[in-house]
Amino acid sequence: MTSPERLTVRGPEDILGFIPHSLGYWPANSLVAMTLQGKRLGATLRLDLPGPAVLADPAPFAETVAGYLAADEHADGTLLALFTNNGWLSGPGCYDGLLFSLEAALAGACMPVKEAWYVGDRYWRDAWCTDPACCPLPGRPLEQIRDSLLNTEMVFRGSSVGPPPEERQARTVPSLYRAAVLEAEAVWSARLDCRRQSRAQFDAVLGLWTGLLAGPREELGQPLVDRDAFLRASLLVPAWRDAVLVMAAAGQAAAAAGAEEFGNFDEEPGPEPVVFTGVVPLETGPPETEPAGAPSSTGGPPAPEPLLKTGQHQGTPGYGDVLMGHEPPVPQWLTMDALDLVLGQLALLGGAPAAAALTGRGWIAWCRGRGSYSAAYYEEALEIEPGYRLAELLLELVRRGTLCGWAARKEAAWQKFGPDAA
């Protein structure tokens, strides 16, 4: 995550107070590195502190950290914070060797370390300062960070520091809601399965997602049986799942053009598309639908027109560019935030649709620059559906330290608290 435009850093307490807001949680047993762009904070990277084997020869680990931070092409310096209660140790198990190796590696990468600190559960201190006049043992009280002016400003702007990814509490859902959604989902899945390669059905599905994400935010997380059943059924089709992610970030044209280029559509017209109108169908036979654009017989909205005609998609970004955060220059963050809320609701009921929804949430978290949350979502998806391919591929990106293109660029990064938040 890139730091907001209008935050003033007055001292190390402010920098250390910003880190939990940047990550979304207070880290523990972690190395946090923040790039500097002149006097401005850049990207934030969190890694687990290495164990004894790595500490015995920390140079390769330090080179890996420098490689991760090199994704910030404008970085010209680095700040380091080691969140640990062992920062006061000397001899085996201490982190002095790790800090020396990090300083050498980052200096060689033209991102020299400007400051480094240890942060424990009760105290914090400068990593190198030995003057008791300014750095008394055991350190300064942690309340100086929690009560810093920048931390106060972040809270005023609406930021909150949540639990670490591994401590997220699962929400519960009423049993009647669960049973009703799963029953309706089975009906929708049976009707949609034979339309996987239908261009008209693709347009209908994407049209529903687009309209939903553009609607009132307060309605997105509300449990609605028939709608949630249809949406969960649509996520079972990989081509539609991917198109929803691309649409949220880059718009309908990019989603439809990419699906066409991948050859996802049959040339021959298939069965008429199933259009969700707010009422779940009771039969599983051939549907009776109105022509595209005509009012539905149930009184719901008209069936959507095709989103993109052949030959209209020149210049639209490809799926790979969108999923890696390279295109568009700035994604549709509001739509992606809305999608995250919807996917969170859909994931509550488990099963294969939950694996798809959690993978989508993991991708959005990665785009925001929150790798720890991203990895947690992918791992949860793989617990539900072992071998879920998209989750495996995206998790590997996180584990390699690959940064989303948008998160690495100040002008494109997720700006939850600025510039108009104040």
Side-chain angles (χ1 to χ4, degrees), residues 90-411:
S90 60
C94 79
Y95 295 103
D96 288 355
L98 174 63
L99 283 174
F100 279 121
S101 293
L102 287 168
E103 285 193 326
L106 291 166
C110 299
M111 296 178 287
V113 176
K114 304 295 186 180
E115 298 281 353
W117 304 276
Y118 287 117
V119 184
D121 291 340
R122 298 177 59 191
Y123 302 100
W124 68 278
R125 70 176 180 89
D126 186 290
W128 301 125
C129 179
T130 58
D131 184 354
C134 64
C135 302
L137 293 176
R140 300 183 181 184
L142 197 67
E143 285 70 21
Q144 290 183 354
I145 297 174
R146 298 188 185 276
D147 298 337
S148 67
L149 291 177
L150 187 143
N151 181 63
T152 302
E153 182 176 353
M154 295 294 286
V155 172
F156 176 76
R157 292 186 177 209
S159 173
S160 61
V161 178
E166 65 273 11
E167 295 180 8
R168 289 180 297 115
Q169 296 295 317
R171 292 162 55 195
T172 58
V173 296
S175 57
L176 290 178
Y177 165 75
R178 177 190 297 274
V181 171
L182 295 181
E183 181 180 0
E185 179 188 318
V187 176
W188 279 120
S189 295
R191 292 168 63 86
L192 293 173
D193 191 59
C194 63
R195 295 169 170 82
R196 287 172 173 249
Q197 293 183 290
S198 165
R199 174 57 188 268
Q201 188 62 63
F202 174 92
D203 290 340
V205 168
L206 205 60
L208 173 65
W209 277 97
T210 302
L212 174 65
L213 299 182
R217 286 288 287 267
E218 60 270 14
E219 297 180 5
L220 296 179
Q222 294 181 0
L224 298 174
V225 169
D226 296 341
R227 181 204 67 186
D228 295 349
F230 184 93
L231 295 176
R232 279 173 53 91
S234 73
L235 292 177
L236 293 174
V237 181
W240 301 349
R241 173 205 65 197
D242 297 348
V244 169
L245 299 181
V246 171
M247 175 273 294
Q252 296 176 338
E260 190 172 283
E261 290 168 3
F262 279 123
N264 289 337
F265 306 129
D266 282 335
E267 294 184 5
E268 298 295 328
E272 290 292 324
V274 177
V275 181
F276 175 77
T277 59
V279 178
V280 68
L282 298 179
E283 79 287 347
T284 58
E288 297 179 2
T289 57
E290 302 292 339
S296 131
S297 59
T298 61
E305 295 287 350
L307 298 176
L308 189 68
K309 293 185 174 65
T310 302
Q312 289 184 318
H313 55 265
Q314 293 184 358
T316 56
Y319 273 33
D321 286 335
V322 175
L323 293 177
M324 292 300 294
H326 298 318
E327 294 289 343
V330 179
Q332 301 175 157
W333 282 121
L334 290 179
T335 306
M336 293 174 70
D337 291 345
L339 176 61
D340 187 49
L341 290 175
V342 176
L343 294 177
Q345 177 68 25
L346 300 181
L348 294 176
L349 303 181
L358 289 165
T359 301
R361 297 199 75 188
W363 177 72
I364 294 170
W366 180 69
C367 292
R368 291 169 172 170
R370 293 187 163 180
S372 298
Y373 280 101
S374 179
Y377 284 129
Y378 297 145
E379 290 166 356
E380 188 176 350
L382 291 169
E383 288 179 5
I384 294 172
E385 193 82 1
Y388 195 73
R389 188 58 178 156
L390 184 60
E392 289 181 332
L393 292 172
L394 296 178
L395 179 58
E396 183 60 26
L397 288 178
V398 175
R399 287 175 172 169
R400 291 206 310 259
T402 304
L403 292 178
C404 174
W406 298 317
R409 300 200 317 275
K410 168 176 78 267
E411 66 277 8

